[in-house]
């Protein structure tokens, strides 16, 4: 399977702990996106990368959130000092490049903060 | 308004056509999309339409775009029980690279 993969699929953590999620995009895709989806809502854009460069960040991405894509392949999203409001599905998507209009999504990581 | 809007629920009988409607926000949106999400899964790209088109057909799926009214619809012909899912409308706005999604329409197909 050469689709977008995400790990872990589920994460339960206590409030105040740090968590890190990983996304592996489709191998030849240069662009990688992170979205957050809360229950009953559509995904909301968080940030995206063109290769290793983080080009855009949403105002939803508070200082407790940091994303990296160090070698332009996989990406990590870290949330520090988690809060209950961070509970959501975190979705990763990738696309071929700047002129590509198709984003392909991974299965998501469901975070529950207790 | 600022939101992409969709009705929340639609119920049809197997074999009927389903029509899911959406209004989007930005007249400069370049591409408009329909995604399908099944329980516990990520989003599956179903189809998309470029803003200079008014219709696109792909097998059982027909997308209609009314740019003047910023209205997008997805018609599923001969709806099957496997089509039961949440359908999201999304717009890719102008020069931005993010996509803005609606809250999704839950389609239930009854046998």
């Amino acid at each position: 399977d050469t689709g977008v993969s995400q790990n872990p699929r589920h994460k339960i953590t206590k409030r105040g702990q740090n968590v890190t999620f990983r996304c592996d995009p489709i191998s030849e895709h240069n662009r990688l996106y992170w979205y957050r989806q809360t229950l009953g809502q559509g995904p909301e854009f968080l940030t995206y990368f063109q290769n290793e460069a983080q080009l855009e960040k949403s105002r939803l991405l508070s200082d407790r959130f940091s994303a990296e894509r160090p070698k332009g392949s996989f990406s990590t999203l870290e949330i520090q000092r988690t809060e209950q409001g961070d509970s959501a599905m975190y979705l990763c998507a990738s696309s071929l490049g700047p002129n590509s209009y198709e984003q392909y999504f991974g299965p998501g990581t469901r975070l529950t903060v207790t | 308004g600022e939101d992409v809007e969709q009705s929340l629920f639609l119920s049809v009988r197997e074999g009927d056509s389903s029509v899911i409607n959406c209004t989007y926000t930005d007249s400069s949106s370049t591409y408009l999309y329909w995604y399908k999400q099944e329980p516990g899964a990520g989003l599956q790209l179903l189809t998309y339409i470029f803003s200079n088109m008014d219709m696109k057909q792909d097998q059982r799926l027909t997308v209609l775009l009314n740019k003047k009214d910023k209205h997008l619809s997805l018609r599923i012909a001969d709806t099957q029980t496997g089509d039961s899912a949440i359908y999201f409308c999304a717009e890719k706005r102008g020069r931005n690279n993010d996509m803005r999604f609606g809250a999704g329409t839950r389609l239930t197909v009854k046998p």
Side-chain angles (χ1 to χ4, degrees), chain A residues 37-72:
Chain A
Q37 185 180 21
T38 53
L39 203 60
Q41 298 298 318
E44 295 172 293
F45 170 78
L46 292 177
T47 188
Y48 91 93
F49 292 84
Q50 170 74 28
N51 298 315
E52 66 276 7
Q54 188 173 17
L55 295 187
E56 193 170 332
K57 290 196 282 189
S58 158
R59 65 182 186 281
L60 294 175
L61 211 67
S62 76
D63 291 344
R64 296 184 296 105
F65 288 68
S66 62
E68 293 183 346
R69 194 181 183 199
K71 297 180 182 177

Side-chain angles (χ1 to χ4, degrees), chain B residues 12-98:
Chain B
V12 300
R13 294 220 171 268
E14 192 173 17
D16 288 350
S17 292
S18 308
V19 179
I20 303 171
N21 294 302
C22 167
T23 53
Y24 59 97
T25 63
D26 191 340
S27 57
S28 69
S29 291
T30 51
Y31 290 93
L32 297 134
Y33 301 81
W34 286 103
Y35 281 85
K36 176 184 180 182
Q37 188 175 37
E38 295 181 88
L43 276 70
Q44 174 193 352
L45 177 62
L46 284 179
T47 187
Y48 58 89
I49 188 167
F50 188 47
S51 59
N52 70 352
M53 299 168 65
D54 52 20
M55 187 181 90
K56 180 178 180 181
Q57 188 154 2
D58 183 1
Q59 299 183 341
R60 293 190 297 124
L61 305 179
T62 302
V63 179
L64 295 178
L65 174 61
N66 180 331
K67 200 172 176 184
K68 174 176 166 290
D69 295 336
K70 290 184 278 187
H71 183 266
L72 184 73
S73 68
L74 173 70
R75 178 177 180 270
I76 306 173
D78 187 24
T79 314
Q80 303 298 306
T81 53
D83 294 325
S84 293
I86 301 175
Y87 290 80
F88 292 95
C89 165
E91 60 177 341
K92 187 175 190 299
R93 295 173 300 159
R95 296 167 62 182
N96 293 348
N97 291 283
D98 61 314

Side-chain angles (χ1 to χ4, degrees), chain A residues 58-109:
Chain A
S58 158
R59 65 182 186 281
L60 294 175
L61 211 67
S62 76
D63 291 344
R64 296 184 296 105
F65 288 68
S66 62
E68 293 183 346
R69 194 181 183 199
K71 297 180 182 177
S73 56
F74 73 90
S75 175
T76 57
L77 177 67
E78 181 183 16
I79 309 174
Q80 296 183 324
R81 304 181 304 281
T82 51
E83 301 172 356
Q84 286 187 320
D86 297 331
S87 295
M89 176 80 87
Y90 290 85
L91 294 165
C92 175
S94 70
S95 68
L96 195 56
N99 298 318
S100 172
Y101 33 79
E102 298 178 14
Q103 290 187 21
Y104 295 92
F105 282 78
T109 295

